[in-house]
Each structure stands twice: as structure tokens, then as C-alpha cells.
Amino acid sequence: MGREPTTSKYIEVRESEIHGTGVFAKTKVSKGKKVIEYIGEKITKKESERRSIALIEKNQGSETDGAVYIFEVNKRHDIDGNIPENTARFINHSCDPNCEPDVIKNRVWLISKRKIKEGEELSYNYGFDLDGYEDHICKCGAKKCVGYITAEDNWPKLKKKLAKKRKKAEKAKKKAAKKTVKGKKKSKKKARK
């Protein structure tokens, strides 16, 4: 029989508007509090990579399966939080998070970055890199949401990529519109003959 889910005096788990299940503050949380520990199996970096790739490949295209719950602990080890007891795995990503992960004595904690109101959904920035960013659409709803789940350090590069993409799409749209206009002019000329 499995262990009980991790809990904290600060949290409750329920449906989220951001994505699936979320974790919410059941009381006010002051800045700098250890809100909940992120627990799981301690694994090597090599095993971490193997599990991540296997899970992504197995669940490709699924909107509900395939989440990777691996957290970096140090240069040699990670924690695979994909276990039923790890309640912290339900904390969603946000581009304007109220928590941040911190490794304290080889344990991963989610710490409040600011005061959190009772009933507010807990979140942190997942810190994904830019590789395959298009596969990780963000639905956090924050005013400063960049549209994709990626580390804040990547935002300037991401914004440049998105601007370049928009420019390319606009160019293609104008080119298509010109072709359509030319095609209409040619068909009018043929109709006159």
C-alpha cells in the first residue's frame, strides 16, 4: 500500500483554471515560507534523461498524459516526482509565479516569492529551455504571459523568435493576397475578351 499524499498546512488540491488539477492556498502565506516539499525518487542524470525521453515519446500528442515531473537537485542527481504521494506535482506553471523552487540540503522545496492570498492558486516557473518551446503552450493567464512555458531568462530570445515568425507570416499573407488580386485581374481580363 502506498504512502499518503504529501500535505502542508498551507495547501489544498482542486481543479485548476490553468490546467487540470492545481494546488491552492487554504490560508494566507507570507513571503519566504516553505509551502510544500517536492518529493520523489532520487535518480541519476542519465536515468533522468532516459525517463524523460521515454515518457515524452510514449505520450506524444496527449494533452493529459506525458508530464515529466523531474527536478534537478544537484549536478549528479534529480528527483522524479512522478509518484502518487507527491502533491507538489500538481502545482502549475505561471509566467508570473508566486512560488519558486529551492534546493535545501538536497531536498526540493517550493518557497513563496511574495504574500499569497487565501484561495490563490500556487504556481512556479517550470524553467523549460527553448528547445521545442512550441510544444509547451502556456495558459497561465498572467498579464505578462509570454505564451509558452519557458524560463524567464529565455524570454528575450523567445520574443525575438516570435516577432520573426510573425513577420514571416505577415509577409506570406501579403504575398498570398497579391496573388489573389493578380488572379482576379487576369480573370476579369479574360471575361472582357
Side-chain angles (χ1 to χ4, degrees), residues 20-59:
T21 304
V23 178
F24 295 79
K26 70 177 175 186
T27 182
K28 290 180 187 175
V29 182
S30 57
K31 181 180 177 178
K33 291 288 180 193
K34 288 181 181 175
V35 179
I36 190 167
E37 184 179 3
Y38 193 95
I39 64 166
E41 181 185 357
K42 190 175 181 181
I43 56 175
T44 63
K45 294 288 182 186
K46 188 174 181 178
E47 178 61 10
S48 175
E49 189 172 333
R50 187 198 68 73
R51 287 184 189 187
S52 297
I53 291 167
L55 192 58
I56 290 166
E57 285 176 355
K58 178 184 171 202
N59 296 300

Side-chain angles (χ1 to χ4, degrees), residues 8-12 14 24-30 35 115-120 122:
S8 157
K9 66 181 180 181
Y10 299 115
I11 63 114
E12 64 184 6
R14 63 177 194 254
F24 295 79
K26 70 177 175 186
T27 182
K28 290 180 187 175
V29 182
S30 57
V35 179
K115 289 181 182 177
I116 301 172
K117 298 177 205 157
E118 183 179 338
E120 186 177 345
L122 303 181

Side-chain angles (χ1 to χ4, degrees), residues 159-183:
K159 287 177 182 177
K160 283 180 185 176
K161 282 182 179 234
L162 294 175
K164 200 173 183 180
K165 231 176 166 180
R166 270 193 301 274
K167 209 173 191 178
K168 193 175 179 179
E170 286 171 15
K171 225 178 190 180
K173 193 175 178 182
K174 284 180 184 179
K175 193 174 181 179
K178 280 183 183 180
K179 270 188 177 179
T180 304
V181 170
K182 280 183 183 179

